[in-house]
Amino acid sequence: MMRSHYSGDVTAAAIDSEITVCGWVHRRRDHGGVIFVDLRDRSGLIQVVFDPDEPGTFAEAEKLRSEYVIQVTGRVRARPEGTVNRNLASGEIEVYTTALTVLNASETPPLQLDDTENVGDAARLRYRYVELRKPRMQRHMQLRAQVTRAVRNALDELGFLDIETPILTRATPEGARDYLVPSRTQPGHFFALPQSPQLFKQLLMVSGMDRYYQIARCFRDEDLRADRQPEFTQIDIEASFVDADDIMAINETMIRSLFADVLDVKLPDPFPRMTYEEAMRRFGSDKPDLRIDLELVDIADLVADADFKVFSGPANSDTGRVAVMRVPGGASLTRKQIDGYTEFVSRYGAKGLAYVKVNDTSAGREGLASPILKFLSDEAVEGIMTRSGAADGDLLFFGADTETVVNDALGALRVRLGHDLGRVEGDWAPLWVIDWPMFEYDPEAKRWNALHHPFTAPAVDDADALRNDPKHALSQAYDMVLNGTEIGGGSVRIHTPSMQQAAFDVLGISREDAEEKFGFLLEALKFGAPPHAGIAFGLDRLVMLMAGADSIREVIAFPKTQTATDLLTGAPGLADNAQLRELGIRLRATGKSEASDGQ
């Protein structure tokens, strides 16, 4: 072994012993003829000292520069009084060097290894191997490893089997585009990279594996955001002979164990549950952040007769909603701040942001300030004040539009205000959102879509009822939400051919298409498929939250850009003409080089 210790593991217990450490020169300092080097490895920093009394090592130390890779052997000693660094695990000691080997020199790094440095994303991704040396990124990668280890340990204890499923498969309707892989042996045919292992894990239940999990790589060719990547990792779980309550209890146990082991955090037992309908009504979101106490209140009945079409129109529409959100102490907001929030909600389709400042409730209408008051009757104003619970110094924000726009706009505004006004209370707020609608209607395509996926079981085991009234059908689906972020989603699965066909009928999937795409699953359901249910957690998203990071790119070693490009390797690249010919592929001319021979 080239080292006896990691830098961050050396403590005062090692004083007077000889050790060997390896790593990178983080910083070199010359102090009165003595050279100090902060040596860095993944465990942290250790201070090594080069003294002129050791002329061989001292001369070599004078040549050291940032990011040189070195090996140091020396004696551990206590730091002089007044020089102890309480911020380091090794801060009580230093290494008096007796031997130094330069294992590799380094050019000046393209990035400074200072977490406070403002570096553009392009440089960070182009030189990712340097970015990953930063202490923050080292912590994130180690946290990710801790999380996957804790997940495996918890699921192993619960009797789950770690089973791999295929990466080369066929296209499935998971809500995004597939990445296609051409088959050389079967020209004109394509594999698809899996968007999830959904169908295979159901087949594993049919095969009697009973409890399965996998840390699975998944692929989706979709537009990217802070919490999306073209390839991502999920904690995939499925179990047989369980219902929704069983699978939620199992996964609560796993998540509580994970947080206790990795963060020493005790999450509530049990997690609270909330129906989808309640979440949308109170918070305008299917993933509400319960750390924020702001809520939406419906007032359509109070303004249905108002001489104000902005309110009365949506109030009298089957697809409309009028809601108010009380912001305690919000009357202190300036007009400029309110204008900023108005611009913010416009991103979600809102045409404006009506408001009322509550200055003095005892003065009735005269104690309120708002340009919309003249359009509202005394009865409407009194009803709004009472229902919203308004008090002196509050601000009331209103949303009036289609239900979707109001929910999106006020739901996002609620979170924005919560953070801006310091109304986020507590560190962790897990939640189960249950009783989801089975389908959602697409008015443009004039068809029903599955809100989760086509294999989710309805709440009522009645195929005819599902076909006859898809609008009101609820599913046995459940999402785990943490601090306003969905970290996992799952459901009880359909396990009979007749119910699966009913779901396909509602979705407009013909029997021919169903047989073509899912024939293997439909056939498997005929041969004794047990009741089963499962869930998938977004590992990247979960680690992001646990790390306190802003993007999943912060917790992925080699992420892609917003255009699904790898700036480090240059992927995706061109295929040479010989490869394309072998695959039977001919590219259309696009004005750019179609392929590159040997490049």
Side-chain angles (χ1 to χ4, degrees), residues 117 188 239 267 272 338 343 355 415 436 442 447 469 490 524 538 541 547-548:
E117 182 193 21
L267 294 179
I338 293 175
E343 190 281 328
Y355 67 91
V415 175
W436 288 71
D442 183 343
R447 56 169 292 173
D469 190 13
R541 202 176 295 179

Side-chain angles (χ1 to χ4, degrees), residues 119-126 128 131-132 136-137 140-141 144 224-232 539-541 543-545 547 549-567:
V119 180
D121 283 346
R124 293 176 59 199
L125 297 179
R126 169 67 180 83
R128 189 64 169 182
E131 172 79 5
L132 287 171
R136 181 189 78 259
M137 298 304 298
H140 289 176
M141 293 301 106
R144 186 182 178 110
L224 306 184
R225 308 195 291 266
D227 61 348
R228 295 282 175 90
Q229 282 279 299
E231 55 179 318
F232 58 96
L539 176 65
D540 311 302
R541 202 176 295 179
V543 178
M544 176 188 74
L545 291 175
D550 296 326
S551 165
I552 61 171
R553 292 198 299 184
E554 287 288 297
V555 297
I556 296 174
F558 299 103
K560 307 291 191 294
T561 68
Q562 291 285 339
T563 56
T565 300
D566 184 341
L567 297 181

